Amino acid sequence: ETPEDYDKHFILTADIDLDPNLPGRKVFDKAVIAPDTDPVKGGFQGTPFTGVFDGDRHRILHLTITGGSYLGLFGQLGWWGALACEVRNLGTVGVHIVSSAGAAGGLVGLQLEGTVWQCRTMGVVSADYDVGGLVGSHQGGTVIQCFSAATISGDHGIGGLVGWMNPNCRVVQCHSTGAVSGTGNSVGGLVGQSGGSITMSYSAGPVTGVEDVGGLVGTGGHITHCYSTGAVTGVSSVGGLVGSGGVVTRSYSAGRVHGENLVGGLVGDIGPYVLHHPQGVWDVNTSGLWASAGGVGLSTAEMMDP
């Protein structure tokens, strides 16, 4: 609760149960660490966390928040140039976060810089926009070796791990398995809307949206050595791996895909910003589709051929 300490180093020495039904606990109305202090003003108002928080493989249990923007255990992680800030080896389990606006995540609402490493989330997170199982809005830095099994819902920019991702961001060796649903566009099993790079990662949960809906990514991004296996359902620009846009290399999808317009086993719609034709494969048997805006369709037997 002391902003003057937000640039210091911390280590968690035991699990902490924040169940609001326990004595002395509560339902929070903002992030626990580095919260937005003035929700009336636009943008993040407050002191971001720029130090190091080492969970030492412990857990924060049953964190419950109902509020506005920048919700999570951390409201904002990092500031421009704060490359050394880090959250690592931490699990937020049984989270229940409901945002009336956006930038909400099971661990971090807004990651402006720094590294989130070997962290995990489980529970429920919902917001209007930029909502993810781990990070809501990822505008700088790296997320590496993390996973989320949280159930995610919202309107647009909805992802199983990260909701919205800037071009200068990276997601490496991560995965998500929870159900993801959106009532609008840019809905993805791992990342909702991406301009950054996603490498050696996968998603396995079901994804439901309206436009730009993908098993791994809803819209955009540079995707390399990734895959998705969850069922994907949408209306327009629906793909087994990517809904619309992006650069796809050495990746595949194997989930069933259903949509009405611009539907593909691997990619629904190449989009206006693609740099080259998608390079990947999809399972025509499990997806139920023989067409895609790029990639090569293979039978299940061919997919299993070394």
Side-chain angles (χ1 to χ4, degrees):
E1 294 182 337
T2 308
E4 291 78 16
D5 290 338
Y6 288 169
D7 61 347
K8 304 299 190 296
H9 292 63
F10 299 87
I11 185 167
L12 195 60
T13 58
D15 291 352
I16 297 177
D17 195 340
L18 295 176
D19 189 337
N21 296 312
L22 293 174
R25 311 302 200 271
K26 66 177 182 179
V27 175
F28 291 84
D29 61 359
K30 54 188 176 182
V32 180
I33 302 169
D36 180 22
T37 56
D38 191 348
V40 177
K41 290 185 178 180
F44 179 83
Q45 306 295 323
T47 303
F49 183 84
T50 56
V52 175
F53 191 101
D54 185 352
D56 197 26
R57 301 187 181 278
H58 291 295
R59 304 170 298 167
I60 303 292
L61 301 164
H62 306 120
L63 170 63
T64 305
I65 310 175
T66 301
S69 299
Y70 309 104
L71 300 188
L73 180 65
F74 296 84
Q76 179 173 316
L77 177 65
W79 195 251
W80 299 123
L83 300 176
C85 66
E86 185 176 302
V87 179
R88 62 177 183 247
N89 302 321
L90 177 64
T92 50
V93 178
V95 299
H96 193 277
I97 298 175
V98 179
S99 167
S100 60
L107 182 69
V108 179
L110 169 62
Q111 181 181 353
L112 206 59
E113 195 58 272
T115 302
V116 178
W117 177 50
Q118 292 191 342
C119 292
R120 61 199 186 279
T121 59
M122 301 177 186
V124 177
V125 185
S126 66
D128 185 28
Y129 58 90
D130 298 354
V131 52
L134 190 81
V135 178
S137 180
H138 184 18
Q139 297 189 20
T142 302
V143 176
I144 183 169
Q145 295 176 353
C146 295
F147 81 85
S148 173
T151 299
I152 311 301
S153 63
D155 183 69
H156 58 280
I158 316 299
L161 188 83
V162 175
W164 188 86
M165 186 173 163
N166 226 13
N168 61 337
C169 300
R170 296 191 307 150
V171 170
V172 183
Q173 295 178 346
C174 295
H175 69 273
S176 59
T177 60
V180 180
S181 62
T183 57
N185 64 309
S186 299
V187 183
L190 189 78
V191 178
Q193 181 169 342
S194 173
S197 66
I198 303 168
T199 309
M200 294 180 287
S201 300
Y202 73 89
S203 60
V207 183
T208 305
V210 177
E211 185 177 1
D212 301 333
V213 186
L216 188 84
V217 178
T219 308
H222 291 246
I223 300 161
T224 306
H225 291 290
C226 294
Y227 71 88
S228 61
T229 59
V232 184
T233 304
V235 178
S236 178
S237 298
V238 184
L241 189 80
V242 181
S244 174
V247 179
V248 179
T249 307
R250 302 188 180 215
S251 300
Y252 76 87
S253 62
R256 179 158 291 276
V257 183
H258 179 75
E260 299 177 12
N261 182 40
L262 297 174
V263 184
L266 185 73
V267 178
D269 181 17
I270 290 180
Y273 307 112
V274 69
L275 299 182
H276 61 77
H277 210 55
Q279 299 176 3
V281 298
W282 82 93
D283 191 318
V284 298
N285 298 122
T286 57
S287 68
L289 293 173
W290 290 88
S292 172
V296 177
L298 301 176
S299 68
T300 300
E302 290 172 323
M303 291 282 285
M304 298 301 291
D305 188 339

